[in-house]
Amino acid sequence: RPAALYDYAAFCLRCGAEKQGRAEELLRRALQSDAEHTPSMLALAALLLHQGQATDSLFLPEAAALVHQVLDVSRRSQEEGGPFDPQVPLAAGLLFLITQAQGDGAKAEDVAGALQALQEAEAAGLAVEETEQPLHAQPSVGAQSSAGLFPEPSQAASIAASHMSARTAG
């Protein structure tokens, strides 16, 4: 059922701005049906980001909270032995855009550095759990923690450098 609501919401979004309200309603219903339906969380976060940029920045904290929820779902899945969620980079990209729209340039740079470290690890053929440093991103106010997915901002550069060294040495 959440997948059908998500598909209908995606259709509404392709129909244009006049259907955005309907799409938001459908995505919220999908999340009422399954609070961990990642595609709906990401789509709603992207829609709220757009609304926050276009009309009212009050939409941005909810968008950030949804992205952190996606990251938490992915982290829990990995802790239970599941594979790395390929939607994590998309969530990180959305978080970057949200923090930029919120005017938090320092946090946006931290997210960008963490995403770069994640990409370096992937390029080096390392699974996220193979990295030596804990991965973490600080949530926005009101958002849940997404511990386990991104490097501490101060560690992002060193992780990327160590992965680069490992690639060039191997």
Side-chain angles (χ1 to χ4, degrees):
R1 176 165 154 97
L5 291 167
Y6 167 81
D7 288 341
Y8 186 29
F11 170 77
C12 288
L13 288 171
R14 285 189 295 272
C15 289
E18 66 276 356
K19 296 283 187 178
Q20 281 184 356
R22 180 70 175 142
E24 180 179 348
E25 175 188 324
L26 290 164
L27 292 168
R28 290 185 188 282
R29 283 181 49 203
L31 291 172
Q32 286 175 344
S33 176
D34 179 359
E36 294 188 352
H37 190 252
T38 304
S40 294
M41 285 188 276
L42 290 172
L44 183 56
L47 180 58
L48 293 171
L49 170 63
H50 173 72
Q51 290 173 338
Q53 289 174 321
T55 58
D56 191 346
S57 64
L58 294 175
F59 291 105
L60 298 175
E62 184 181 1
L66 283 163
V67 170
H68 284 288
Q69 187 176 353
V70 168
L71 297 174
D72 286 343
V73 167
S74 179
R75 176 188 46 81
R76 283 193 310 271
S77 173
Q78 276 191 292
E79 287 173 353
E80 294 169 0
F84 178 73
D85 185 348
Q87 295 187 75
V88 167
L90 174 60
L94 271 173
L95 188 58
F96 172 77
L97 293 172
I98 292 165
T99 54
Q100 273 192 323
Q102 289 175 320
D104 193 346
K107 185 181 251 180
E109 286 181 32
D110 289 345
V111 172
L115 182 57
Q116 181 179 355
L118 220 129
Q119 290 169 335
E120 293 292 337
E122 182 181 22
L126 300 175
V128 172
E129 55 272 5
E130 293 174 353
T131 59
E132 298 157 3
Q133 302 291 332
L135 299 176
H136 178 70
Q138 293 296 322
S140 299
V141 174
Q144 298 178 7
S145 171
S146 51
L149 293 172
F150 294 108
E152 291 285 351
S154 60
Q155 297 169 343
S158 65
I159 292 172
S162 70
H163 290 271
M164 290 299 289
S165 298
R167 268 198 338 203
T168 57

